[in-house]
Amino acid sequence: MLKSVEFMSLKAVKSVVPTNGVAVISIHDSSTARDLPTFSGFFDVLRVNMLDVCEEHVGLMPGAWSDEPTLEQHFQYCALSDNFVPSLSHAHAIRSFVDRLHAHTDRLDLLVHCSAGVSRSAGVACWAGQYLGVKLLDRANVGLGEANPRIIRLLNSLPRQ
């Protein structure tokens, strides 16, 4: 069962001592993929490749982009090759990982990181904390004001199990 969820930057997660009582959601894009730690020693790791973009960042209404973009749409929305906009597939993978961790008999903590630790990781952690009713930790005290709204919207769009 998950007992807490914490979000942080890539720099911060590199200083965390691995333990079998902690699982990680590692959010990266093509610019940070080569800088990721191995995460060996943690309970489990979900690696998610998505750029920190959303409709609101470019002045569009929420939901203006496809929830499951084609490769051409990913390129259009991201303007960079080998990068992906947050999608429904990402949301399903995150939800499945979180559900599996929460169903586990051991008490686990979840760390969610992205590059800066303020947008993508904050969005996933905010959703997970609310979804499971567990403690949300923000040791860097950055708050949720910049949490990626697309990620939260996609995760909240999934039917509750």
Side-chain angles (χ1 to χ4, degrees):
M1 163 188 311
L2 283 175
K3 59 183 181 176
S4 73
V5 60
E6 180 174 5
F7 62 101
M8 63 182 57
S9 68
L10 174 57
K11 181 180 178 182
V13 82
K14 287 180 178 180
S15 68
V16 174
V17 177
T19 174
N20 198 34
V22 177
V24 176
I25 296 178
S26 175
I27 303 172
H28 65 278
D29 56 53
S30 65
S31 70
T32 58
R34 65 186 168 281
D35 297 328
L36 297 175
T38 64
F39 296 111
S40 61
F42 286 100
F43 178 80
D44 201 357
V45 179
L46 173 67
R47 290 170 176 80
V48 182
N49 180 355
M50 63 180 169
L51 197 63
D52 185 20
V53 293
C54 66
E55 298 91 334
E56 293 88 335
H57 289 169
V58 294
L60 297 174
M61 294 296 296
W65 294 346
S66 171
D67 287 350
E68 196 59 63
T70 65
L71 286 177
E72 293 81 20
Q73 288 171 321
H74 279 291
F75 182 74
Q76 176 189 353
Y77 303 155
C78 296
L80 297 166
S81 60
D82 299 328
N83 282 287
F84 302 93
V85 67
S87 69
L88 206 50
S89 293
H90 293 124
H92 280 290
I94 292 164
R95 163 79 170 274
S96 176
F97 185 76
V98 167
D99 283 343
R100 188 167 39 83
L101 293 174
H102 199 58
H104 201 274
T105 56
D106 293 343
R107 291 180 51 81
L108 303 167
D109 295 305
L110 176 62
L111 296 181
V112 185
H113 89 82
C114 63
S115 183
V118 298
S119 185
R120 292 168 290 176
S121 60
V124 170
C126 175
W127 168 82
Q130 291 175 349
Y131 172 65
L132 299 173
V134 299
K135 184 178 3 176
L136 177 64
L137 302 174
D138 174 15
R139 292 178 216 236
N141 202 31
V142 296
L144 297 171
E146 293 190 38
N148 186 300
R150 179 175 172 86
I151 293 170
I152 295 170
R153 180 179 59 78
L154 290 168
L155 286 163
N156 281 332
S157 76
L158 300 176
R160 189 133 184 127
Q161 293 180 341

